[in-house]
Amino acid sequence: MNLAESFRIALRALNANKARSILTMLGVVIGVAAVILLVGIGTGVQDEITGQVEGLGSNLLFIVPGQYGGSMGGDQAPPSRRFTIEDSDLLARRVPGVDAVVPVLQAGSTIKRGNRSVRVVVAAANEQGGEVFSGTLEGGRGYRKSEVQAAARVVAIGSTVRETLFPGQDPVGKVVTLEGQRFTVVGYYESMGGGLAGDQDSQVYIPITTAQRVFNLNYINTIVVKATDPARIEVVKADLRRVLTPRYGEEFTVFTQEQTLGLLSDLLGTLTYMLAGIAGISLLVGGIGIMNIMLVSVSERTREIGIRKAVGARTYDILSQFVIEAVGLSVLGGIIGISIGWGGAVLMAKFTPVPTNVTPWAVATAFFFAAGVGVFFGVYPAWKASQLDPIVALRYE
Amino acid sequence: MPEATGAASRIVLETRDVGKQYKLDGVEVNALRGVSIAIRSGEMVSIMGPSGSGKSTLMHIVGLLDRPTTGQVILEGDDISNLSPNQLAELRNRYIGFVFQSFNLLARTSAQANVELPLVYAGVSGADRARRATDALERVGLGNRMGHFSSQLSGGQQQRVAIARALVNNPSIVLADEPTGNLDSRSGIEVMAMLQELNAQGITVVLVTHDDRIARHAERVIRVFDGRVQAEEIVGNRVLAAQELASLPAGEVAG
Ligand SMILES: Nc1ncnc2c1ncn2[C@@H]1O[C@H](COP(=O)(O)OP(=O)(O)OP(=O)(O)O)[C@@H](O)[C@H]1O
Ligand SMILES: [Mg+2]
């Protein structure tokens, strides 16, 4: 008997038990759909975040206090000494080949106007902040050098902030309250769309000197340096180290864009695998469902197996018939699961802020995994069927 | 031992001192205790005995569905004692056709597909298979029921589908175990008429029954009692089912 014949027999059997076949398949459908959707989300988020980081330009360097190893986790020392604005100024004076040196301080706060208020992330920098933040001004202006020097209470706001505090109005020139201080709005930004990488529409931008004063801090979080020539980034990095070492020893780390991306994709990659693993467990459960049903089916069809053997079916014929049945269930379930998962991912990208990306690699893996589940969980029941003694099978009631 | 048919006909199937023991909860049951029989080509033989005498056990052994505990089974001159299950399956497929009391057709499967089953495992290709199955079904008078499922056929019709299935691969021998046991008397007579007609066409038939009257449809009766052959006799006044059928009040014609 050839394989095509086994296929026909298996399909006929699945068709004869439609309701049961569908229910059995459901386990695999859900498992595969979950794998596709969750991996799609993981990949989508990863793409978006790395895209955003890349969008900043490949010539950025980030200096943070503390020592960081080459990889995520593990040997990180807590920052012992933090940077100050003076460090940033020193670097600006002493390191050649840079377009901008930007001290950055970030803090959470609430911004108010009248009885309206909204939670925001305050991103503070000097007048060169625009070089390293990715937003685009929609109206008004950013703060000026003189305002940074004077620690003026001026603010540029993200689109969510504007919509909440100034629905349908031009905010420029209006006054808001931040940390109990009155700030004048000088500009507002275009919506960047809600990303998972931190909602930039809920940020507000103020001069770093002002931020230190209102939050009562004398340090800054990070210094971001923009090199003039991306090709000379390693030279700039060495210069930055040379200037900072006398002050901080080894207690600081300079990341290039490339390293930051590496760290990010390590982290996000791990996240994606975790999601895939969780979804994989449901696929495994689906496989056990197939095995369960196949075992039931074998004992229910003992007589059929006896009849087939009586008229000449060999071990292999029965084995292949039942394996194909199990694989048929799982492959069909896999195809339906892929369609549902893919459809879900597309809809999710369209109607929610969660970005998704279903890669051919994920689809292929899910498909072959589903087929593998069918083989793995189908072989044992099929083997049991094939080993039945014909006379015992015929006598079975 | 007198020969019923031509003395020259060869032995198709033979058992030599076959014994079969079952162990049930540690107790040994001797279903067969040294049975030697020979079936010749073209014969119609009955194996007759009371319930529990070992008829079915013997039929399963000569049909290669089961193995004897002792003794040998010789099919077409070859001892099959040491063959693997797969080799036995191939021999069953090639040489033996079965008709069971309970029909043993595949449920939710058309008559045509049921009859094709032995050909599927014989590796016969689709078109050839369909043609031969059609021929076999026409031979048993069911040419107009090929697409029907077993559940849509009467008992007599189901048994005739089973006979067509037994015939379709041109076996050396057809083994029928109580083929009329689940049928009303008229359908039973029809099935017997069918088997006699096939035998007349040259097919070897072994009929297993506890019923003396059914047994006398054959040319020769082997009487089995308590796992042994008690007697063998030539049937003097053979029952001819076709005549019986003609003498019955005209019922609806089957088929
Ligand atoms: N699988 C088995 N396990 C144990 N004992 C068995 C088994 N099959 C048959 N026997 C025993 O072997 C003996 C012969 O059984 P068998 O089925 O051959 O009888 P039979 O002549 O066909 O009877 P019937 O006319 O009722 O069909 C019986 O005593 C039966 O109980
Ligand atoms: Mg019996």
Side-chain angles (χ1 to χ4, degrees), chain B residues 170-193:
Chain B
N170 301 320
S172 299
I173 189 165
V174 170
L175 302 176
D177 189 356
E178 304 276 13
T180 62
N182 282 4
L183 300 178
D184 63 70
S185 60
R186 186 191 178 90
S187 302
I189 294 167
E190 279 168 7
V191 163
M192 290 316 297

Side-chain angles (χ1 to χ4, degrees), chain A residues 395, chain B residues 22 24 29 31 49-58 178 210:
Chain A
R395 282 230 176 95
Chain B
Y22 293 107
L24 259 186
V29 180
S51 182
S53 56
K55 308 178 297 285
S56 294
T57 305
L58 181 59
E178 304 276 13
H210 66 278

Side-chain angles (χ1 to χ4, degrees), chain A residues 144-177:
Chain A
R144 303 189 173 110
K145 186 172 184 180
S146 58
E147 289 164 338
V148 174
Q149 282 165 347
R153 288 194 288 274
V154 288
V155 62
I157 58 179
S159 65
T160 305
V161 182
R162 177 168 81 96
E163 280 154 25
T164 313
L165 301 186
F166 302 97
Q169 299 172 31
D170 183 356
V172 174
K174 305 258 170 42
V175 171
V176 293
T177 311

Side-chain angles (χ1 to χ4, degrees), chain B:
Chain B
M1 191 175 75
E3 292 293 338
T5 48
S9 67
R10 78 203 148 84
I11 293 175
V12 179
L13 189 65
E14 194 182 350
T15 68
R16 290 187 189 152
D17 208 20
V18 158
K20 182 74 184 178
Q21 284 187 345
Y22 293 107
K23 274 214 176 68
L24 259 186
D25 304 325
V27 182
E28 285 186 1
V29 180
N30 278 306
L32 296 175
R33 314 163 188 255
V35 173
S36 300
I37 59 168
I39 312 292
R40 290 176 179 278
S41 176
E43 260 192 314
M44 182 158 179
V45 183
S46 286
I47 296 174
M48 209 200 89
S51 182
S53 56
K55 308 178 297 285
S56 294
T57 305
L58 181 59
M59 193 201 89
H60 293 147
I61 286 173
V62 299
L64 315 189
L65 287 170
D66 206 355
R67 291 170 189 272
T69 315
T70 56
Q72 293 164 302
V73 178
I74 288 139
L75 174 66
E76 296 282 3
D78 295 320
D79 186 351
I80 54 92
S81 303
N82 296 318
L83 298 184
S84 72
N86 280 345
Q87 286 170 317
L88 291 178
E90 280 168 32
L91 290 181
R92 284 197 296 274
N93 182 259
R94 189 146 11 117
Y95 294 115
I96 298 169
F98 291 98
V99 179
F100 298 96
Q101 178 173 352
S102 51
F103 319 139
N104 275 337
L105 298 178
L106 295 184
R108 283 172 295 203
T109 306
S110 70
Q112 165 101 23
N114 263 294
V115 174
E116 282 187 21
L117 204 58
L119 301 177
V120 166
Y121 294 115
V124 177
S125 72
D128 202 14
R129 213 160 62 203
R131 188 181 51 72
R132 283 168 66 177
T134 307
D135 284 354
L137 278 166
E138 275 168 359
R139 236 170 130 181
V140 299
L142 288 176
N144 55 345
R145 294 283 197 280
M146 294 191 294
H148 286 55
F149 284 10
S150 335
S151 53
Q152 299 166 328
L153 295 172
S154 74
Q157 289 168 335
Q158 288 187 55
Q159 196 60 302
R160 281 189 282 155
V161 172
I163 293 172
R165 182 181 66 189
L167 290 178
V168 74
N169 205 19
N170 301 320
S172 299
I173 189 165
V174 170
L175 302 176
D177 189 356
E178 304 276 13
T180 62
N182 282 4
L183 300 178
D184 63 70
S185 60
R186 186 191 178 90
S187 302
I189 294 167
E190 279 168 7
V191 163
M192 290 316 297
M194 192 102 271
L195 290 174
Q196 283 187 324
E197 190 189 324
L198 293 170
N199 177 245
Q201 292 166 10
I203 290 170
T204 313
V205 178
V206 174
L207 182 65
V208 172
T209 182
H210 66 278
D211 182 329
D212 185 63
R213 193 182 153 70
I214 296 288
R216 284 191 292 112
H217 284 76
E219 299 155 329
R220 184 156 70 96
V221 176
I222 300 173
R223 289 183 187 276
V224 181
F225 186 78
D226 197 19
R228 288 196 182 85
V229 175
Q230 199 184 32
E232 291 197 34
E233 60 203 45
I234 301 299
V235 176
N237 50 340
R238 207 179 161 193
V239 181
L240 294 175
Q243 284 178 7
E244 243 182 333
L245 209 53
S247 71
L248 280 180
E252 49 183 299
V253 181

